[in-house]
Amino acid sequence: MSLAFTIPTIETERLRLRAPVLADFEHWAAFFETERSAFEGGPLPRRAAWRVWASDVSIWALRGYGPFGVEDRATGAYLGEVGIYEGDSFPEPELGWFVLPEAEGKGYAAEAARAVMDWAHESFGWTRLVNIISPENTRSIALGQRLGGVIDPDAEGEDPGDVVIVHRLGACA
Amino acid sequence: MTSFTIPTIETQRLTLRAPKLEDFEQYAAFLSSDRAQYMHGPMSRKEAWRWFTNDTAHWPLMGFGGLMIEENGTLAGQVAITRGPTFPEPELGWFLLDGFTGRGIAAEAGFALRNWAYETAGLKTLVSYIHPENAASIALAKRLGAELDENAPRPEGETLEETLVYRHPAPDADGGMEAYA
């Protein structure tokens, strides 16, 4: 009668997407100490950073999907986190990404995001997945568009002013 | 893939089971009430979501966490073992929704989860961090056999004025379960 759930492992050309583990949090704590975390509500002290990160991880148990820790397949190094996010106030599930500063500029977020979109379509039959992005986060908005997403000015985000990018999933996307 | 399990624990009167999304409304309502004053509350819905999901995320990340307490299919509260990033050690905590106090429910749930933690999760000790004015929780901690540990470290940033540390009996010393077997 216990609750059992699984988190899959997905491999791409360069990456392994796998269940988040406790050790990942140190990277998030460090991220939330910096100004770069402004788009995610930071900077935040460690206890608050934990609540944000743990909140996202919990979605696996509560909804059956969630964020993946992303590793370099060759070295095992933690590169960031990409996956499905859906907090209490979200209008719908969201495709999100976070890459460590030292791992940026190599296309990792895009590679992982494509794998997550394929997985979401195959696993749940979803044909739509959005990004919900702060308007100042031009880098993420550019990535969303590079992935083939289209800004929908009428779609609802989490906070007023959020940019919502819509991705069509599936073979005919 | 990685597999995770959140246990269901049955006691004499209760079922302790994994949190579900549907529990959140009552959880948030409790944390927004004055009864949450000793749990860093009352707090907003957004903050309550962080707490609720934190208790749930503990399971895949640490192998222990929060379980909702049900009595005859009705949500009665929550019992949880948590270890926040500023905690020196894991903590056993609890809260009961209105109408479920005064009947030993928190004690029954606390004994059961503590027993599970020692026997199944392999924990060797547990504490409860309690505000000095929270008489009800202090009484419950004592009823569970916990004793004030004046030398125990507190979560980072918390002072003696706001946090007492009650240490629960170690696994071999726990003779309390017989009362609820």
Side-chain angles (χ1 to χ4, degrees):
Chain A
M1 261 218 305
S2 47
L3 172 71
F5 62 99
T6 60
I7 299 179
T9 298
I10 302 171
E11 293 195 333
T12 70
E13 190 184 323
R14 298 174 297 171
L15 309 172
R16 176 175 300 110
L17 282 64
R18 46 67 172 165
V21 297
L22 196 54
D24 298 344
F25 174 62
E26 295 312 317
H27 299 283
W28 284 87
F31 167 70
F32 272 108
E33 280 177 1
T34 70
E35 279 303 319
R36 278 196 63 217
S37 63
F39 299 136
E40 308 300 330
L44 293 174
R46 189 175 173 86
R47 191 161 67 180
W50 169 265
R51 294 204 189 283
V52 171
W53 181 69
S55 213
D56 294 333
V57 173
S58 77
I59 299 306
W60 282 108
L62 295 172
R63 298 188 195 270
Y65 44 80
F68 294 89
V70 180
E71 288 177 353
D72 183 324
R73 276 181 69 178
T75 66
Y78 185 75
L79 302 174
E81 187 180 275
V82 178
I84 313 293
Y85 299 82
E86 190 177 358
D88 178 49
S89 54
F90 280 42
E92 55 184 307
E94 184 217 11
L95 170 66
W97 45 68
F98 159 69
V99 176
L100 296 183
E102 56 266 32
E104 281 180 336
K106 301 188 179 68
Y108 289 146
E111 186 168 325
R114 286 194 192 93
V116 170
M117 287 194 278
D118 287 344
W119 166 77
H121 177 68
E122 285 158 22
S123 303
F124 310 116
W126 293 352
T127 55
R128 165 197 171 93
L129 188 51
V130 299
N131 305 122
I132 301 175
I133 306 176
S134 294
E136 305 84 20
N137 194 347
T138 51
R139 191 173 184 148
S140 270
I141 292 170
L143 174 55
Q145 292 175 306
R146 211 153 63 235
L147 285 167
V150 176
I151 294 177
D152 181 349
D154 299 322
E156 195 187 335
E158 192 194 1
D159 298 313
D162 279 344
V163 173
V164 179
I165 296 176
V166 180
H167 300 272
R168 294 281 156 210
L169 310 182
C172 301
Chain B
M1 73 177 182
T2 325
S3 301
F4 301 97
T5 306
I6 302 177
T8 295
I9 302 170
E10 302 279 359
T11 71
Q12 192 171 30
R13 293 177 293 174
L14 312 170
T15 299
L16 312 182
R17 53 104 181 129
K20 296 186 278 198
L21 276 178
E22 303 84 79
D23 300 325
F24 179 60
E25 292 305 323
Q26 288 180 270
Y27 187 102
F30 174 82
L31 286 182
S32 71
S33 76
D34 289 336
R35 290 192 59 227
Q37 62 176 314
Y38 297 123
M39 291 176 64
H40 305 276
M43 65 179 80
S44 66
R45 184 186 173 92
K46 189 163 181 168
E47 267 304 296
W49 176 256
R50 300 259 188 257
W51 278 64
F52 178 71
T53 51
N54 175 46
D55 296 340
T56 306
H58 265 66
W59 288 105
L61 294 172
M62 302 196 201
F64 50 79
L67 296 178
M68 306 310 294
I69 304 170
E70 269 187 6
E71 186 186 29
N72 298 323
T74 302
L75 197 63
Q78 190 207 49
V79 63
I81 297 173
T82 57
R83 186 173 186 172
T86 58
F87 281 23
E89 46 191 325
E91 179 198 27
L92 176 66
W94 51 76
F95 70 81
L96 293 179
L97 301 181
D98 284 342
F100 291 93
T101 56
R103 293 196 286 124
I105 286 179
E108 188 167 324
F111 273 124
L113 186 58
R114 185 175 78 194
N115 211 52
W116 177 89
Y118 287 163
E119 289 184 353
T120 308
L123 293 186
K124 298 281 184 274
T125 187
L126 278 168
V127 293
S128 294
Y129 299 119
I130 307 178
H131 193 284
E133 289 166 17
N134 189 351
S137 276
I138 290 172
L140 175 53
K142 289 179 175 173
R143 187 166 168 192
L144 289 169
E147 290 180 351
L148 186 64
D149 184 345
E150 287 169 335
N151 296 318
R154 262 170 291 282
E156 192 181 300
E158 292 185 18
T159 66
L160 185 57
E161 283 70 35
E162 61 195 330
T163 305
L164 297 175
V165 185
Y166 277 84
R167 186 167 302 282
H168 290 267
D172 294 333
D174 181 18
M177 266 310 291
E178 282 67 49
Y180 290 91

